[in-house]
């Protein structure tokens, strides 16, 4: 990872993939060596794989009134969310169409407080993949799993993929409090299993769903 190269290339970069990035190094994506804010006017695709984000003070954010990624279409953040606010999503509400975030409870709190995804801000956002961080303790993770991904949806969402286990009750309670989820057409619950009766009820809650993937569950005793 070369901060100098990133800074020099910022005006022309269209794709950026950075692996094994420590959270404190995020500042090098946002500021040059002299502390001046960086802007990436052509950058459409960002993929960041960070190390564990254990220190909240190591998170960074863009300068006030600066949108570093104004034409961003695809944002992927693996192993954690290393920004202190909604910095990656500033100024690109008309372009962002794919989002994958490995999110923990602390990052979820950050995005909630900054209202990053409130009121259907991202009209073109079509695919959302949410994964709960495996290093979170189960009591915390179980409470945030479904909320983490569903909180990132917009009224225009067509595809929602949850890459973690969630219970039927968690999903139902989240759906009932977010009426815009009825717009979802493709739903992938890749690590979740349902009984047949639960699956039928789930289909009713998503009237627009045309494709649904999940794990097979136990056969309902009363259907035998």
């Amino acid at each position: 990872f070369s901060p100098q190269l990133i800074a020099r290339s910022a005006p022309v970069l269209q794709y950026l993939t950075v692996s094994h990035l420590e959270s404190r190094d995020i500042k090098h994506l946002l500021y040059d060596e002299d502390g001046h804010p960086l802007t990436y006017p052509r950058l459409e695709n960002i993929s960041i794989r960070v190390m564990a984000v254990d220190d909240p003070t190591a998170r960074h954010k863009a300068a006030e009134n600066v949108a570093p990624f104004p034409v961003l279409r695809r944002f992927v953040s693996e192993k954690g969310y290393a920004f202190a606010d909604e910095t990656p999503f500033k100024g690109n509400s008309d372009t962002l169409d794919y989002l994958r975030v490995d999110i923990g409870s602390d990052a979820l709190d950050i995005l909630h407080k900054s209202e990053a995804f409130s009121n259907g801000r991202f009209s073109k956002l079509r695919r959302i993949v949410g994964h709960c961080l495996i290093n979170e303790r189960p009591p915390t993770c179980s409470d945030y799993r479904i909320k983490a991904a569903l909180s990132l949806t917009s009224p225009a969402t067509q595809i929602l993929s949850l890459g973690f286990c969630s219970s039927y009750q968690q999903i139902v309670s989240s759906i009932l409090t977010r009426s815009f989820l009825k717009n979802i057409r493709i739903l992938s619950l890749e690590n979740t299993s349902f009984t047949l009766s639960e699956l039928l009820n789930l289909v009713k809650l998503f009237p627009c769903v045309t494709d649904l993937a999940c794990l097979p569950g136990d056969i309902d005793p009363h259907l035998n």
Side-chain angles (χ1 to χ4, degrees), residues 43-153:
L43 189 60
E44 297 184 356
N45 190 322
I46 300 175
S47 179
I48 300 173
R49 186 182 181 91
V50 299
M51 309 292 277
V53 186
D54 297 323
D55 181 7
T57 63
R59 300 179 188 272
H60 295 276
K61 59 183 179 180
E64 190 174 356
N65 299 322
V66 172
F69 316 113
V71 297
L72 187 64
R73 292 186 56 195
R74 179 185 176 100
F75 178 75
V76 176
S77 181
E78 297 184 72
K79 298 299 183 181
Y81 182 80
F83 296 88
D85 63 1
E86 79 284 16
T87 284
F89 314 111
K90 288 182 176 180
N92 48 46
S93 59
D94 293 330
T95 59
L96 189 68
D97 61 22
Y98 179 97
L99 173 67
R100 172 182 171 172
V101 180
D102 288 348
I103 196 168
S105 57
D106 56 343
L108 179 58
D109 287 338
I110 289 172
L111 293 175
H112 271 315
K113 290 177 181 177
S114 63
E115 299 182 346
F117 293 88
S118 61
N119 300 320
R121 172 177 163 186
F122 295 89
S123 60
K124 293 187 178 180
L125 188 57
R126 291 293 184 271
R127 183 170 181 83
I128 300 170
V129 183
H131 289 257
C132 182
L133 295 180
I134 60 175
N135 60 348
E136 291 218 333
R137 293 182 299 175
T140 302
C141 194
S142 62
D143 181 51
Y144 276 96
R145 279 171 177 165
I146 191 69
K147 294 178 184 178
L150 296 187
S151 68
L152 302 181
T153 58

Side-chain angles (χ1 to χ4, degrees), residues 169-185:
Q169 290 301 327
Q170 281 180 316
I171 293 173
V172 169
S173 63
S174 295
I175 294 168
L176 293 177
T177 58
R178 295 172 173 84
S179 60
F180 59 78
L181 291 175
K182 294 180 180 179
N183 295 330
I184 293 175
R185 309 223 184 274

Side-chain angles (χ1 to χ4, degrees), residues 23-34:
S23 56
R24 64 175 178 267
D25 291 329
I26 286 293
K27 65 181 179 183
H28 298 307
L29 296 180
L30 305 175
Y31 302 93
D32 64 19
E33 290 183 300
D34 297 321

